[in-house]
Amino acid sequence: MQPLSAPQEIPSVSQARRPASVPAIAAGLAAIGLVLGAVTMWAQYGTAVFFETLAAGLQACF
């Protein structure tokens, strides 16, 4: 009995992985920066001032 298809090589793990693209890395770094900035503001100014700053910023945008 013959196989229905020709045997195929299984790609190795190094061939299956693609390096991350530059925009994806930049977006990840920007997200980390925003989170770190928010945590720093929260620690420095406290919750009340932090939320008031966010509300004022959002109001200025919209």
Side-chain angles (χ1 to χ4, degrees), residues 2 4 6-12 16 19 28-30 33-34 40-41 46-47 53-54 58-60 62:
Q2 295 181 345
L4 295 175
Q8 298 177 356
E9 291 185 29
I10 298 174
S12 67
L29 290 174
L34 288 173
T40 302
M41 283 179 60
T47 56
T53 303
L54 281 178
L58 289 173
Q59 186 178 8
F62 301 109

Side-chain angles (χ1 to χ4, degrees), residues 6-47:
Q8 298 177 356
E9 291 185 29
I10 298 174
S12 67
V13 175
S14 62
Q15 291 175 347
R17 289 186 181 175
R18 294 187 325 170
S21 65
V22 174
I25 292 172
L29 290 174
I32 290 171
L34 288 173
V35 169
L36 287 176
V39 169
T40 302
M41 283 179 60
W42 190 299
Q44 186 173 0
Y45 299 117
T47 56

